[in-house]
Amino acid sequence: MPRRTATMLASTLMLIVLLCAGVFIPVPYAEMSPGPTVNTLGDHDGEPVLRIDGRKTYPTDGHLNMTTVRVTSADYRMNLVEAVYGWLAHDNKVVPHDTLYPDGKTEEQSTQENAEEFSQSQESAKVAALKELDVPVKSWVIVSTVVKDSPAEGKLHAGDVIRSVDGSVVREPADVAELVTEHKPGEDVDFTIVPAKEQAAAEKENRAPKRTEKITITTTASDDAGDERAVVGIAAGTDHTFPFTIDIELADVGGPSAGLMFALGIYDKLTPGSLTGGEFVAGTGTIDDAGKVGPIGGIEMKTVGARAKGAEYFLTPADNCAAAAADAPEGLTLIKVDTIRDALGALKDLDSGDTADLPTCTAS
């Protein structure tokens, strides 16, 4: 066989082997890409995203779109060809698999965690919006979760209201851990609670709870390596009672990053006029009960997805501004926000047409 022919044949065989390897050998990466964007002021799958009953609402126009990111599933194993294509594609991002699913987290665990974060973001969005409107919201500290096989299992239950720990009144979830860790492992700690069923009955009947219980739990040492703090095996959270009904209907979405846009949508529906002045505004950001806006992941994909749907302005958490501005889609103005009040101020400027002094994001 002539040398030239043999070389070409060997090269061809090598190329085939490399292509096969690229297709069949998995690599430890996952992919993020722009996901759907939904107008919080409008409908989704034929149903209003925000439904408010028991309070006067007002017509709105324009868009206040929440944005999402698509990610490959925990069980999906990307091959080398897909990874290279993702690295080259402008609108996608390939990241280490453990970035999205740390510590071997399963798809089911990730979905459950995202659902819980999404639910909490809705509650915080309601609280933040109503606080801006000076509408009173009743809040209290509750047992959010109980760790299996912990000292608290069987004694405290999710939904129990924590009134005090060792006689000290509990006002914030952080108070619970602070008071428990004043003990050494093996010492007793006293909880005064309103049982979850009693609290639910009181809310239903619009009355104060009639019964409290004192629960004594023996602490144990934290399972975290090198951590000798006393724990009882619960996570504390916050529950609220609202003076009217606010329902947020949006299936197949998880995580906390829509909080800001939900809060703005609620505020817009409860106030006369339009926040956006008819403009197409999208955005993202977590929000807490005080209205503080927090950073999110996948900002580059969210701006691309928003612009593709027609957004001209994007409300961007301050801590995401530099990353978003480094590769912002053409025609999309990134507005820097740190609180819901910042966002409301920017939207009022848009409505009035006074956009010269908008706090825009810049690349670092």
Side-chain angles (χ1 to χ4, degrees):
M1 180 182 297
R3 180 178 297 176
R4 182 176 181 182
T5 302
T7 301
M8 291 180 62
L9 179 59
S11 299
T12 301
L13 290 174
M14 180 62 71
L15 179 60
I16 292 172
V17 170
L18 290 174
L19 287 174
C20 289
V23 171
F24 294 110
I25 296 178
V27 292
Y29 292 98
E31 186 176 59
M32 305 168 65
S33 59
T37 173
V38 179
N39 187 9
T40 61
L41 301 176
D43 293 350
H44 182 65
D45 291 338
E47 296 292 333
V49 175
L50 299 175
R51 189 190 301 274
I52 300 174
D53 295 314
R55 181 89 170 192
K56 183 177 181 179
T57 58
Y58 299 87
T60 62
D61 60 9
H63 288 70
L64 285 171
N65 280 45
M66 53 84 68
T67 50
T68 64
V69 174
R70 284 194 180 97
V71 298
T72 50
S73 69
D75 298 330
Y76 182 75
R77 288 298 177 262
M78 179 179 289
N79 62 48
L80 183 59
V81 172
E82 291 171 320
V84 171
Y85 179 81
W87 279 318
L88 296 175
H90 178 265
D91 294 346
N92 297 355
K93 186 174 183 180
V94 175
V95 297
H97 190 272
D98 289 347
T99 300
L100 300 178
Y101 303 102
D103 303 322
K105 187 183 296 181
T106 65
E107 182 77 13
E108 183 178 4
Q109 290 170 327
S110 180
T111 298
Q112 177 63 28
E113 182 178 297
N114 285 336
E116 291 172 358
E117 290 178 339
F118 186 62
S119 177
Q120 182 57 52
S121 76
Q122 294 180 32
E123 291 298 292
S124 293
K126 297 172 188 178
V127 175
L130 296 190
K131 282 186 176 180
E132 283 299 311
L133 293 166
D134 293 325
V135 176
V137 177
K138 294 180 181 178
S139 303
W140 50 86
V141 177
I142 62 167
V143 176
S144 179
T145 56
V146 179
V147 178
K148 184 175 176 58
D149 297 326
S150 70
E153 186 177 25
K155 294 187 174 183
L156 296 177
H157 304 86
D160 289 346
V161 178
I162 304 173
R163 288 281 184 83
S164 66
V165 175
D166 291 331
S168 296
V169 175
V170 168
R171 294 183 173 84
E172 302 289 341
D175 295 343
V176 178
E178 183 178 336
L179 291 165
V180 170
T181 54
E182 289 180 359
H183 291 269
K184 295 179 180 179
E187 293 182 347
D188 289 343
V189 58
D190 295 326
F191 286 79
T192 300
I193 66 163
V194 177
K197 289 184 179 180
E198 169 62 17
Q199 180 64 32
E203 291 180 47
K204 185 176 181 180
E205 298 168 14
N206 195 27
R207 61 170 173 80
K210 298 177 180 178
R211 180 168 61 92
T212 62
E213 294 182 5
K214 183 178 179 180
I215 308 292
T216 300
I217 302 174
T218 302
T219 62
T220 189
S222 170
D223 288 336
D224 295 338
D227 189 350
E228 292 299 320
R229 291 179 306 161
V231 297
V232 296
I234 66 168
T238 307
D239 201 2
H240 310 91
T241 293
F242 300 101
F244 48 90
T245 302
I246 305 173
D247 287 328
I248 300 176
E249 300 293 339
L250 198 57
D252 301 323
V253 176
S257 65
L260 170 63
M261 302 313 291
F262 285 144
L264 294 173
I266 293 167
Y267 186 99
D268 200 357
K269 284 180 172 285
L270 291 173
T271 52
S274 168
L275 277 181
T276 68
E279 299 285 358
F280 194 138
V281 179
T284 189
T286 66
I287 200 165
D288 64 16
D289 291 1
K292 173 72 174 176
V293 176
I296 52 81
I299 187 67
E300 302 92 336
M301 269 63 66
K302 292 186 174 184
T303 56
V304 168
R307 183 59 183 144
K309 288 296 184 180
E312 296 181 343
Y313 299 92
F314 194 92
L315 300 174
T316 311
D319 289 342
N320 289 125
C321 258
D327 194 21
E330 185 177 353
L332 187 67
T333 299
L334 305 179
I335 302 174
K336 178 180 179 180
V337 296
D338 196 49
T339 65
I340 185 175
R341 192 159 295 179
D342 292 342
L344 290 171
L347 290 172
K348 288 173 182 176
D349 287 342
L350 288 180
D351 184 29
S352 67
D354 183 16
T355 60
D357 295 325
L358 283 175
T360 55
C361 295
T362 57
S364 59

